[in-house]
Amino acid sequence: MARTGKRALEALRELILAGHFHPGARLQPGQISELLETSTTVVRESLTKLVAEGLVTQRPQRGFTVRELNARELEDVTELRCAVEVLGGRLAIERGDLAWEAALIAAHHRLARTARRGDDGELSAEWEDAHRAFHRVLIDGAECRPVSEHSEALARTTQLYLRWAAASPAAGVRDVEAEHQELLDAALARDAARLAEALHQHFRRTADVVLRAGIVAPGPVAPSAR
């Protein structure tokens, strides 16, 4: 039962991140159970876990829905991710050994050699997997589980935004390969300040692409001062 639940959770997570369900779309356990060929109980448990991960929301009278895209939230997630990844990068530079450097080089090599888009012009699943792996290995040298867990959660949220912005012309003007090369070079040079700046630039450019794509709703307007 535990293995079945884990497989359902992973499958449902990937369906959401791959754009199978639109942001704000209702997630009906009965339909999903047929899609995944499992029980509604397992699906509900998976949806509850995805609520905790931040990919799904649960509201009275509406049930489960894919989280909606929001500009204010994107800004907040970007700031949080910068803070977490910069801390992880600094600790990795301090603690990472030769094996970490080798793993980082290998992860970058895989990323650089993987086509970013498929024949249909969409981001390829292979590239997205290599991309996640590179960023994960980058902070693995920190050997800090809280940092790794927060990084993974924030990366999943960011990926949801990127999935829907990928088709925008704004996504095609970045030199993502050069950005990742700079991250690698800064890490291998053990230059924490350079890596921090490269990470800030990398994540800010991601947010800018999403915002220019025009796919997110504006965030709440702050009340005027009286």
Side-chain angles (χ1 to χ4, degrees), residues 15-139:
L15 285 172
I16 292 172
L17 293 176
H20 185 85
F21 300 104
H22 289 255
R26 289 193 63 184
L27 297 168
Q28 300 181 21
Q31 293 180 354
I32 296 173
S33 67
E34 293 180 6
L35 180 64
L36 300 183
E37 298 181 340
T38 189
S39 70
T40 56
T41 298
V42 168
V43 170
R44 288 184 182 278
E45 290 175 351
S46 297
L47 288 168
T48 300
K49 291 178 180 178
L50 291 176
V51 169
E53 290 185 10
L55 291 179
V56 172
T57 57
Q58 185 177 19
R59 298 174 183 169
Q61 309 304 320
R62 291 196 64 191
F64 297 99
T65 61
V66 179
R67 78 181 304 158
E68 296 180 354
L69 307 185
N70 177 280
R72 172 70 65 81
E73 178 191 73
L74 175 62
E75 291 287 349
D76 291 342
V77 168
T78 299
E79 288 303 313
L80 280 170
R81 196 172 185 199
C82 285
V84 170
E85 298 273 340
V86 166
L87 173 60
R90 178 174 63 78
L91 292 175
I93 284 175
E94 293 174 1
R95 302 171 180 176
D97 55 12
L98 185 60
W100 168 68
E101 290 187 3
L104 187 59
I105 291 170
H108 179 266
H109 181 78
R110 177 190 171 201
L111 177 61
R113 294 296 186 274
T114 303
R116 203 169 154 217
R117 295 184 183 273
D119 295 336
D120 57 1
E122 298 288 335
L123 285 178
S124 74
E126 292 78 11
W127 186 88
E128 288 184 309
D129 184 59
H131 184 234
R132 287 195 300 269
F134 173 72
H135 280 279
R136 184 168 57 248
V137 173
L138 181 62
I139 63 172

Side-chain angles (χ1 to χ4, degrees), residues 158-208:
T158 304
Q159 187 181 348
L160 188 61
Y161 283 86
L162 275 176
R163 164 56 56 180
W164 295 100
S168 167
V173 299
R174 292 176 69 185
D175 190 346
V176 178
E177 290 72 22
E179 293 175 30
H180 289 133
Q181 184 66 55
E182 174 62 11
L183 293 174
L184 175 68
D185 292 344
L188 294 180
R190 304 283 175 156
D191 189 332
R194 179 182 171 187
L195 179 59
E197 178 61 21
L199 284 167
H200 273 283
Q201 292 293 329
H202 184 60
F203 295 134
R204 282 305 325 168
R205 287 176 181 137
T206 296
D208 289 344

